[in-house]
């Protein structure tokens, strides 16, 4: 037990030293988070971490942690925040990078509070892809990925869960002036133009400052 605690403390210390820039990316199912994250990675050099992908990879690894995740999913239980946070911390440290898009996390207020308490990191901001439920339904039903959960009832349930769980997180950060909201109902390229406005000014400002100093 002591070894695991020490390893977790080491991860937290390594991250604290780096002072990484973290952006939480939230939006309903089908809001285009993955597509836009790929574009941000390409244009702005961020590292994209999907909480869901990390959990699935760990589950499939056959590790002790992975078996526990598999069992919890099989029983319909929610994986504890600390497990997801540890996977995120590990991925952040191992990447060697210092700018991260964390996609699909925190899913609820408990996730949010635990992330800040464990990592000692507050996000720079939350990138919120806001899209009407009707548009999300249309997109998911049309994307034809052969997923069993892409039916109208399941989509509506997932959207309801998103509203109940994730909106309080968005409201919390909005009160702190840390939400950048995007109209995600527009075409992909138009959405990315709006995203670029959010990420570009800081780059231009720093370049301008360097030019003035020079």
């Amino acid at each position: 037990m002591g070894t695991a605690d020490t390893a977790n403390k080491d991860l937290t210390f390594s991250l604290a030293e780096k002072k990484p820039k973290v952006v939480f990316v939230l939006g309903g199912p089908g809001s285009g988070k993955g597509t836009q994250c790929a574009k941000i990675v390409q244009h702005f050099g961020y590292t994209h971490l999907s909480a869901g992908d990390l959990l699935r990879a760990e589950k499939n690894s056959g590790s002790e942690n992975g078996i526990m995740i598999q069992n919890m999913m099989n029983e319909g239980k929610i994986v504890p925040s600390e497990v997801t946070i540890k996977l995120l911390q590990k991925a952040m440290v191992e990447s060697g990078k210092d700018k991260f898009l964390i996609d699909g996390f925190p899913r609820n207020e408990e996730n949010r509070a635990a992330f800040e308490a464990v990592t000692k990191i507050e996000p720079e901001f939350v990138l919120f892809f806001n899209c009407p439920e009707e548009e999300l339904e249309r997109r998911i039903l049309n994307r034809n990925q052969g997923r069993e959960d892409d039916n109208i009832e399941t989509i509506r349930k997932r959207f309801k869960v998103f509203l109940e769980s994730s909106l309080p997180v968005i409201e919390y950060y909005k009160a702190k002036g840390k939400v950048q909201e995007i109209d995600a109902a527009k075409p992909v390229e138009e959405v990315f133009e709006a995203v670029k406005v959010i990420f570009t000014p800081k780059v231009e400002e720093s370049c301008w400052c360097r030019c003035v100093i020079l």
Side-chain angles (χ1 to χ4, degrees):
M1 185 70 186
T3 310
D5 285 344
T6 304
N8 289 342
K9 280 177 187 169
D10 287 346
L11 280 174
T12 301
F13 180 71
S14 297
L15 274 181
E17 273 198 317
K18 267 188 183 179
K19 296 186 172 62
K21 187 176 192 174
V22 169
V23 174
F24 289 145
V25 183
L26 296 175
S31 59
K33 297 190 305 295
T35 300
Q36 295 299 326
C37 281
K39 288 178 173 291
I40 297 166
V41 167
Q42 186 182 351
H43 285 79
F44 298 101
Y46 277 73
T47 297
H48 177 208
L49 298 176
S50 160
D53 287 351
L54 289 171
L55 281 167
R56 281 186 285 275
E58 186 69 16
K59 181 190 77 172
N60 296 333
S61 72
S63 69
E64 190 177 331
N65 209 27
I67 293 164
M68 181 269 288
I69 292 168
Q70 176 74 68
N71 290 339
M72 292 198 78
M73 287 180 169
N74 288 347
E75 291 166 21
K77 293 179 181 172
I78 295 169
V79 177
S81 295
E82 286 72 18
V83 173
T84 308
I85 291 164
K86 190 168 82 171
L87 292 174
L88 286 166
Q89 281 184 298
K90 187 165 177 280
M92 288 164 82
V93 170
E94 287 177 353
S95 76
K97 302 292 174 61
D98 62 357
K99 295 195 302 185
F100 300 95
L101 300 170
I102 297 184
D103 173 7
F105 185 93
R107 293 174 73 93
N108 53 43
E109 265 291 284
E110 195 267 330
N111 277 175
R112 179 203 63 75
F115 182 87
E116 290 189 10
V118 172
T119 65
K120 315 299 181 203
I121 295 168
E122 269 200 45
E124 294 284 313
F125 59 89
V126 174
L127 188 60
F128 171 37
F129 290 102
N130 196 359
C131 194
E133 185 175 6
E134 302 75 31
E135 175 62 14
L136 295 176
E137 287 175 10
R138 187 190 66 75
R139 285 181 185 179
I140 295 173
L141 291 171
N142 287 346
R143 69 186 178 186
N144 194 22
Q145 291 182 343
R147 285 173 48 165
E148 289 176 21
D149 57 351
D150 283 354
N151 62 69
I152 199 77
E153 279 181 28
T154 309
I155 294 164
R156 283 176 181 165
K157 272 187 204 163
R158 285 165 65 201
F159 187 69
K160 186 169 180 282
V161 168
F162 169 75
L163 290 179
E164 289 171 353
S165 302
S166 299
L167 272 191
V169 175
I170 292 161
E171 291 304 321
Y172 172 85
Y173 285 118
K174 198 174 274 186
K176 300 184 86 170
K178 285 192 165 195
V179 172
Q180 297 283 358
E181 188 169 328
I182 298 281
D183 178 358
K186 293 178 178 176
V188 171
E189 288 308 322
E190 280 185 45
V191 172
F192 188 56
E193 286 303 313
V195 169
K196 279 201 288 192
V197 170
I198 292 165
F199 283 86
T200 301
K202 297 182 183 87
V203 177
E204 287 179 348
E205 186 183 335
S206 63
C207 288
W208 182 83
C209 289
R210 281 202 299 275
C211 290
V212 170
I213 291 164
L214 291 170

